[in-house]
Amino acid sequence: MSIRLRLTLLFSAILAFTLIAFGVILYATQTDSTYSGIERELIRQATVFAVPQRDRPGLQDQAPPGPILPNGALPGRWLQTRSITGSVLARSFDLSGTSLPLTQKGLQSVQQGSGWFETAQVDGQALLVYSQPFMAQEDSREIVQVAFPIAETQQSLSMLRLILLIGSSLATLAAFAMGWVVAGMALAPIDRITQTARAIGAEHDFSHRVRHTGPIDEVGQLALTFNDMLAELEAAYRQLESALASQRRFVADASHELRTPLTTVRGNMELLRREPPIDPVERHEILADTTEEVERLIRLVNQLLVLARADAGQALRREPLSLKPLLEDVCRQAKLLAPQNTITCGPPPDVMVAGDRDALKQVLLILLENAHVHTPIGTSIDVSGQLLNDCAAIAVRDSGPGIPPDVLPHIFERFYRGQVSRRGPGTGLGLAIAKELVEAHGGTIQVHSEAGHGTSFIVTLPQAAE
């Protein structure tokens, strides 16, 4: 059973119960009021009849029934007397030989001095009969019975009951219809949420949103919350798609990079196993080539491990580190690795940064090696540092040919190789690793290059707290 139907049935049941209770109270009140008036009138008539004419001060204008007529009839309507034992003594003309009834229980009550009401059918007409004892003579008690026709009263009450029943039924049906419509309007956003969820499940598209133009009530807040959740899910889904795409691209590129040197090593090993043996000079060249490919594999694997740790969110050990000895050590090592280039190191600033010494050294060596392999022999490379506000800035500049504008936006992407170095194609991971390590320190790395005027890499690191 749907929520809409349950709400409609509940609303209709509450209204039906209210109408039934109201109808019962109204009918009971009207019945009691009507019959109470008739009973009071019957008691008055019986009391007037029972009072002797000489003892009726102020009642002469009430036209008392008077004595029994010679033919045994009483004046008035629906009037009858009985002996105290229950025998009929006299009756009015309208009874025409028919007696007003008195049950045995009623007779006993009257004999004990109490009045008694009962309903009866006399000549096919419904009557309310009241019986009361009175003193006919000083030493004789009789019973007077007064009746009143209640057919019209019963008909009126029956009509009232029918009106209340039909009115309550129609009102309940109308309330059911209105409740169904109102519940449908109130639950329309929930239905739209359901349809949106189904569309998302079928199409796998989190760009769907629930359209809600009503008030910001509980249902409106649910629709807004659902839209906010969809926005977050869409962002997370896009991020996951991007991460999976990057991962697939990374695995494909890594597999390709690993396969190339492995294929070379395998081919060289096949050449070394040839019979008869190859020429010693050629054998020496093959071994040198194999050694170079193995070293390339080692570098590639090490770089992949660094990137894997960065992707896994592995935190670096950050501690206060003096920048001056770090730059001096890097410049000294760079001069040994690139003797063909002129490496100039400016006076390093005496400043403390928070970071991992090995990781920062790897960043600077990557930038120096990148400048060395992508510039002609004899190119000058400058390394300098300065204090900018609360950050330490390290710049690596070269006077090489620069980076083409179409390549510049992609140089920090993994496995991207826009330029061929003097040593052949690289792995395309060096600058990506440098960027990951710098950002892991809370810093930034920027590049400025102009064709024919060299390239500058600027690494900015936050100072260590005192």
Side-chain angles (χ1 to χ4, degrees):
M1 185 182 296
S2 64
I3 296 178
R4 182 181 184 183
L5 181 57
R6 289 202 299 267
L7 289 176
T8 304
L9 290 176
L10 178 61
F11 174 75
S12 301
I14 293 175
L15 181 60
F17 176 79
T18 304
L19 291 176
I20 291 173
F22 173 77
V24 169
I25 294 174
L26 177 61
Y27 181 78
T29 302
Q30 183 64 26
T31 302
D32 181 71
S33 175
T34 302
Y35 279 99
S36 295
I38 298 174
E39 290 173 356
R40 286 194 300 269
E41 179 62 22
L42 291 176
I43 293 174
R44 187 192 67 80
Q45 293 180 12
T47 302
V48 170
F49 180 87
V51 176
Q53 188 171 1
R54 64 180 181 274
D55 296 333
R56 298 176 184 172
L59 296 179
Q60 288 77 5
D61 57 343
Q62 305 230 1
I68 299 176
L69 299 178
N71 58 3
L74 293 172
R77 289 182 59 80
W78 311 109
L79 187 61
Q80 178 177 282
T81 58
R82 290 176 181 266
S83 66
I84 196 64
T85 59
S87 301
V88 176
L89 299 178
R91 61 178 68 88
S92 58
F93 286 106
D94 50 2
L95 291 177
S96 62
T98 303
S99 301
L100 296 177
L102 181 61
T103 62
Q104 185 63 33
K105 186 176 181 181
L107 179 60
Q108 293 176 0
S109 177
V110 173
Q111 287 174 348
Q112 293 173 2
S114 301
W116 177 261
F117 286 98
E118 60 184 279
T119 58
Q121 289 285 335
V122 178
D123 289 338
Q125 188 170 4
L127 300 177
L128 178 62
V129 182
Y130 174 67
S131 304
Q132 174 183 309
F134 73 101
M135 296 299 296
Q137 298 178 5
E138 294 181 359
D139 56 350
S140 174
R141 286 197 308 163
E142 294 180 3
I143 300 173
V144 59
Q145 290 182 287
V146 184
F148 187 86
I150 57 174
E152 294 183 1
T153 301
Q154 290 179 340
Q155 185 177 3
S156 299
L157 292 176
S158 298
M159 182 61 67
L160 175 62
R161 183 171 60 249
L162 181 61
I163 292 174
L164 290 175
L165 180 61
I166 296 176
S168 300
S169 301
L170 293 177
T172 303
L173 292 176
F176 183 88
M178 293 177 61
W180 180 263
V181 174
V182 172
M185 294 174 59
L187 296 176
I190 297 180
D191 184 61
R192 288 195 289 269
I193 290 175
T194 303
Q195 294 177 0
T196 302
R198 288 176 180 171
I200 291 174
E203 302 174 9
H204 301 286
D205 184 6
F206 289 95
S207 63
H208 292 281
R209 294 294 183 270
V210 178
R211 301 188 309 276
H212 180 69
T213 57
I216 308 301
D217 50 9
E218 289 80 358
V219 178
Q221 291 177 359
L222 175 62
L224 294 178
T225 303
F226 190 77
N227 286 336
D228 293 340
M229 181 189 68
L230 287 178
E232 295 179 3
L233 286 176
E234 182 181 12
Y237 187 72
R238 300 301 181 196
Q239 185 176 3
L240 179 61
E241 279 188 332
S242 177
L244 290 176
S246 299
Q247 185 179 15
R248 287 192 294 267
R249 186 171 60 252
F250 177 80
V251 171
D253 291 342
S255 300
H256 179 269
E257 293 296 331
L258 290 172
R259 184 172 62 249
T260 301
L262 287 174
T263 302
T264 302
V265 171
R266 180 181 177 180
N268 290 340
M269 292 179 63
E270 292 293 335
L271 291 175
L272 293 175
R273 293 175 58 187
R274 288 177 59 178
E275 291 293 342
I278 60 176
D279 183 73
V281 176
E282 186 179 358
R283 180 184 181 89
H284 178 74
E285 293 177 353
I286 291 175
L287 288 174
D289 184 54
T290 302
T291 302
E292 182 179 352
E293 291 298 327
V294 170
E295 291 178 351
R296 180 184 174 192
L297 278 173
I298 293 174
R299 289 196 307 271
L300 180 60
V301 170
N302 289 334
Q303 291 173 344
L304 291 175
L305 288 175
V306 173
L307 289 176
R309 294 191 188 100
D311 290 338
Q314 184 174 352
L316 296 174
R317 183 183 62 182
R318 299 177 63 180
E319 56 186 7
L321 174 67
S322 177
L323 194 59
K324 182 176 181 180
L326 175 63
L327 290 179
E328 292 175 349
D329 187 19
V330 169
C331 288
R332 181 172 58 253
Q333 187 172 349
K335 291 177 181 179
L336 296 176
L337 296 176
Q340 303 90 343
N341 296 92
T342 302
I343 299 178
T344 304
C345 295
D350 190 8
V351 63
M352 302 291 290
V353 295
D356 183 280
R357 178 181 175 84
D358 293 337
L360 293 179
K361 182 178 180 180
Q362 184 178 2
V363 170
L364 297 177
L365 288 176
I366 288 173
L367 296 179
L368 287 168
E369 182 182 10
N370 185 73
H372 166 61
V373 301
H374 287 92
T375 55
I377 296 176
T379 302
S380 63
I381 302 173
D382 298 329
V383 181
S384 61
Q386 60 179 330
L387 185 62
L388 296 176
N389 298 327
D390 295 332
C391 298
I394 305 171
V396 177
R397 300 181 177 88
D398 63 62
S399 57
I403 303 175
D406 58 329
V407 175
L408 196 60
H410 306 285
I411 61 173
F412 292 110
E413 296 179 6
R414 299 177 183 183
F415 295 105
Y416 182 80
R417 294 185 295 271
Q419 291 177 302
V420 179
S421 65
R422 290 185 288 104
R423 297 190 303 181
T427 62
L429 293 176
L431 292 179
I433 292 175
K435 184 175 184 294
E436 294 282 352
L437 293 178
V438 171
E439 291 179 350
H441 284 83
T444 60
I445 181 171
Q446 297 176 342
V447 59
H448 302 283
S449 182
E450 185 178 354
H453 294 81
T455 303
S456 299
F457 286 91
I458 302 175
V459 176
T460 305
L461 299 170
Q463 277 188 278
E466 296 183 359

